Amino acid sequence: MTDEAPAAPDLTDLLADAPTNWGKWGEDDEVGSLNYLGPEQVLAAAGLIKSGKVFTLQRLIGDPKGDPVWPGRTPAERTQILDEGDWDEGGKGPAFPGGLHYADDKINAFLQGSTQYDALGHVWYGGQIWNGYDARTTIGGLQKASVQPIAERGVVGRAVLLDMARFRGKDNLDAAETYTHEDLVACAESQGVELRKRDILVIRTNYISLFFTLGEKFYEGFCEPGLVYSPELVQWFADMEIPNLVTDTIANEVTFDPNNGVALVLHNALMRNLGVTLTEIADLEQLAEDCAEDGVYEFFYAAAPLKVALGSGSPVNPLVVK
Ligand code: UVW
């Protein structure tokens, strides 16, 4: 016996009995639970368009106030390559017939460094990624379950905003604050909206607002608020056939599970095992304000990440239409 806290369990043990959707859509599948979104879901979602209000959910890349990123990643750097200054002096700007001038720039960015879709092969344990593919297929780039098939397919369906911050009567959830699927259901009920099978879940915590007020202190003892693992929660996601989980935090779930200390359990239980696509760092502020005003929390949602060959994720600017 020692007084030391027990070491965090291995994901292989923790999730030994957890449900998976491996093989459900064939041995070649790379988009997982997005298969739940077919023409029926797209048409039902289109039927929710009533007011014509449009919202874009991407956070600004290269925000002068800073870009919140997962610790260890760095914000995107945009570099100006060509501008009018190149024609001002020194004659560096290329000469085109007719006097054409133009601006060019490039970015050096983590593919997960802004509002993003994770590829299903982005995380794993036990040597296997989504659908049972060998984790060695990730070496040098995701040969399986990269972001490319998600980008080619697109994501369209009925989405519901679950405003957890407002539901808890707060401006923002606190570091390490957790919520469960039961809280999501209670939040939906309080908003007067029904959660249905195959809904895209859009969860607001407004936690990232602290990045803009705390600066670098935001990363001290980093533990974001979010969904917390339980076998019941994972089963609920499986039974509800949730295709896509969208949040305004950097990693969609409580960073370290308070019950066992394991990092990003749900990335594995939901994404690796069930094929639920994760969308992170969404900006939900204008949408949430509008939902609170008009009381409409269900809407048409459409998103397509960029087609990046072998990519483990990609920036995205999801669209909501009410
Ligand atoms: C990690 O997987 C570490 O982070 P994210 O899903 O936020 O990209």
Side-chain angles (χ1 to χ4, degrees):
M1 283 269 295
T2 92
D3 290 341
E4 281 174 32
D10 195 283
L11 282 162
T12 312
D13 299 325
L14 186 66
L15 300 180
D17 301 322
T20 86
N21 283 328
W22 291 7
K24 183 168 186 158
W25 296 285
E27 60 180 30
D28 295 330
D29 181 77
E30 299 181 285
V31 298
S33 292
L34 292 181
N35 283 294
Y36 288 133
L37 296 176
E40 195 188 321
Q41 285 69 35
V42 174
L43 292 173
L48 297 173
I49 299 179
K50 301 272 169 18
S51 67
K53 287 187 272 191
V54 177
F55 301 86
T56 58
L57 305 188
Q58 189 213 317
R59 269 198 178 281
L60 189 61
I61 293 175
D63 189 329
K65 300 192 294 294
D67 295 355
V69 288
W70 176 259
R73 294 183 187 144
T74 47
E77 284 169 37
R78 194 194 64 83
T79 309
Q80 195 70 30
I81 303 299
L82 210 54
D83 56 35
E84 181 64 5
D86 291 299
W87 282 274
D88 268 354
E89 52 199 71
K92 269 200 306 160
F96 283 95
L100 168 75
H101 291 185
Y102 58 93
D104 257 0
D105 45 8
K106 64 177 182 180
I107 58 170
N108 182 5
F110 274 84
L111 288 170
Q112 268 99 359
S114 55
T115 310
Q116 104 236 199
Y117 267 77
D118 280 346
L120 291 185
H122 173 47
V123 301
W124 63 88
Y125 62 89
Q128 284 175 294
I129 64 169
W130 160 248
N131 221 22
Y133 300 123
D134 192 318
R136 299 193 73 76
T137 57
T138 65
I139 294 176
L142 268 52
Q143 291 144 49
K144 293 285 183 188
S146 78
V147 77
Q148 185 187 339
I150 296 175
E152 280 165 359
R153 189 187 188 287
V155 182
V156 179
R158 175 189 192 253
V160 172
L161 176 73
L162 296 159
D163 191 339
M164 285 304 299
R166 210 172 240 104
F167 178 56
R168 292 202 169 155
K170 296 170 151 189
D171 284 344
N172 55 268
L173 296 193
D174 299 318
E177 185 171 345
T178 59
Y179 48 87
T180 67
H181 60 296
E182 284 158 341
D183 295 319
L184 298 183
V185 172
C187 175
E189 268 170 26
S190 83
Q191 293 175 174
V193 64
E194 187 194 352
L195 281 181
R196 300 189 190 139
K197 267 189 158 183
R198 304 194 176 191
D199 275 347
I200 296 164
L201 302 184
V202 181
I203 305 177
R204 173 180 178 263
T205 68
N206 196 27
Y207 182 66
I208 276 180
S209 63
L210 296 182
F211 168 82
F212 296 102
T213 52
L214 296 178
E216 278 309 303
K217 273 188 182 301
F218 175 76
Y219 293 109
E220 281 175 16
F222 184 78
C223 188
E224 290 194 299
L227 283 168
V228 61
Y229 166 75
S230 69
E232 295 76 20
L233 177 137
V234 177
Q235 195 56 53
W236 183 81
F237 269 78
D239 295 343
M240 289 291 286
E241 301 181 343
I242 302 298
N244 189 184
L245 171 64
V246 181
T247 79
D248 59 359
T249 60
I250 296 172
N252 271 10
E253 61 178 297
V254 66
T255 313
F256 300 101
D257 188 321
N259 301 312
N260 51 42
V262 178
L264 300 189
V265 182
L266 292 176
H267 270 57
N268 287 288
L270 300 183
M271 182 159 65
R272 173 197 183 267
N273 291 351
L274 294 182
V276 177
T277 312
L278 301 189
T279 308
E280 295 157 332
I281 323 185
D283 184 348
L284 304 177
E285 291 313 293
Q286 285 183 11
L287 175 63
E289 215 168 286
D290 189 79
C291 293
E293 256 170 45
D294 68 7
V296 178
Y297 284 85
E298 57 174 355
F299 36 77
F300 176 91
Y301 173 100
L306 302 178
K307 298 175 184 177
V308 182
L310 308 176
S312 55
S314 149
V316 68
N317 186 8
L319 279 174
V320 159
V321 189
K322 285 177 113 183

